Amino acid sequence: MNLFNPKTLSHHIDENAPIPSDHLAILNDWSDLIQSGRITKLKEVELHGDFKSKIIEGVLGYKSPVGNDEYTVATEKAILRGSVDLALGNFSADKTEIIAPFELKGAKTKDLDAIMAGRAKS
């Protein structure tokens, strides 16, 4: 099952476009971490900061609140019941517009749809 419709992606992505070398270095480092098996020895929260700074900001280009009055990625943003690990959207001192909330999971997570112990929901 695809996360995104391949036909839709083909209209928006040039598969022949080169990946910028700085992005490729970050992606290769992350891939090496996964393939080495070291990532499964780390707790989920140990990777949140690196994932945000390297992948979300470094590769995808979202802006953090550090040095920016307006930013597009925030951590631990409050939602109706609790908070989300990462939120993509439009943020400033007086604006919080969450467009995409993210709940990050550890590398040992096998089934994202599994019922969480004691919570009766996935």
Side-chain angles (χ1 to χ4, degrees), residues 18-32:
I19 298 172
S21 60
D22 55 334
H23 292 187
L24 190 56
I26 293 168
L27 294 170
N28 284 332
D29 286 346
W30 200 263
S31 175
D32 290 346

Side-chain angles (χ1 to χ4, degrees), residues 31-67:
S31 175
D32 290 346
L33 178 65
I34 292 167
Q35 291 177 2
S36 73
R38 293 186 329 260
I39 198 166
T40 59
K41 295 176 179 138
L42 299 170
K43 294 181 181 178
E44 173 189 333
V45 295
E46 292 179 284
L47 294 169
H48 285 192
D50 283 331
F51 183 78
K52 177 184 169 279
S53 67
K54 292 180 180 185
I55 305 298
I56 301 296
E57 295 170 21
V59 174
L60 298 178
Y62 288 88
K63 294 187 297 185
S64 79
V66 177

